[in-house]
Amino acid sequence: MGSTGMERAVDAICEPGVRRRPFRARSPLQNYAASKGVTIFYVTNRTFDTEEATRENLKALGFPLGNSDTIYTKGERPEWTSKKESRIAAVAETHRVVLLMGDNFGDFLDAASGSVADRQAAYEAASEHWGRDWIAMPNPTYGSWEGAAGGSYALSKTSVARTRSMR
């Protein structure tokens, strides 16, 4: 079975020297914001050991990187786990955060884990942000919704596919 578009995108961003273009990666919004003096931060669950390769590939794909460390990776600091609120808070220590963009509920809230009902409650509690200063981009390929909808992140790929098809 061939790799998904998301897997190819991650490969293109993370692998040193890879110059594949599986998707049109340049972001007019990010580039416009950067041209107006906005610093773009990338809060990612890629690990710290891939940060330099990630930086080089983001640069090659046309993403604005600024003049300082704007890629905050999982494990870069001990408190920077797969939950992202601590990294967003680190950005907020020196910058005003005007917009969060992500493709997974956990890109916005650490409370994104749990049952569908738990996730709905967290979503509703943050309702003033959605579509205003938090923009969710669709990603049907993978995400924390799989565990909520399927009951387990430990499901095999076949079981996950079966669970998805039943919804």
Side-chain angles (χ1 to χ4, degrees):
M1 181 153 104
S3 61
T4 66
M6 180 56 70
E7 288 167 342
R8 289 190 305 273
V10 169
D11 288 346
I13 291 173
C14 290
E15 292 180 27
V18 171
R19 295 295 180 250
R20 291 178 282 190
R21 289 183 180 246
F23 62 102
R24 188 173 271 282
R26 296 173 199 250
S27 169
L29 174 62
Q30 289 171 315
N31 288 317
Y32 176 78
S35 78
K36 299 299 180 188
V38 174
T39 302
I40 310 295
F41 284 84
Y42 304 88
V43 178
T44 177
N45 276 341
R46 294 181 185 99
T47 55
F48 183 60
D49 62 320
T50 67
E51 183 171 334
E52 189 55 37
T54 301
R55 178 182 325 286
E56 290 303 313
N57 284 297
L58 285 169
K59 182 178 177 182
L61 291 167
F63 285 86
L65 293 170
N67 295 322
S68 61
D69 180 15
T70 56
I71 300 174
Y72 286 15
T73 57
K74 179 174 71 174
E76 186 171 337
R77 295 184 188 170
E79 68 274 19
W80 289 3
T81 66
S82 61
K83 294 185 174 188
K84 294 184 176 176
E85 282 187 38
S86 62
R87 287 177 274 162
I88 295 167
V91 172
E93 288 175 6
T94 58
H95 293 76
R96 181 171 57 117
V97 178
V98 296
L99 180 67
L100 295 179
M101 296 175 69
D103 67 350
N104 193 12
F105 201 11
D107 292 336
F108 305 94
L109 292 171
D110 289 351
S113 58
S115 69
V116 173
D118 293 340
R119 292 165 58 83
Q120 183 66 34
Y123 169 82
E124 289 173 7
S127 63
E128 73 277 3
H129 293 290
W130 300 110
R132 298 176 62 110
D133 55 335
W134 293 0
I135 306 297
M137 300 171 291
N139 179 359
T141 308
Y142 73 94
S144 63
W145 58 268
E146 289 179 305
S152 172
Y153 290 107
L155 295 174
S156 69
K157 288 184 179 184
T158 303
S159 295
V160 169
R162 188 176 309 117
T163 301
R164 287 182 189 158
S165 70
M166 294 166 56
R167 301 223 180 297

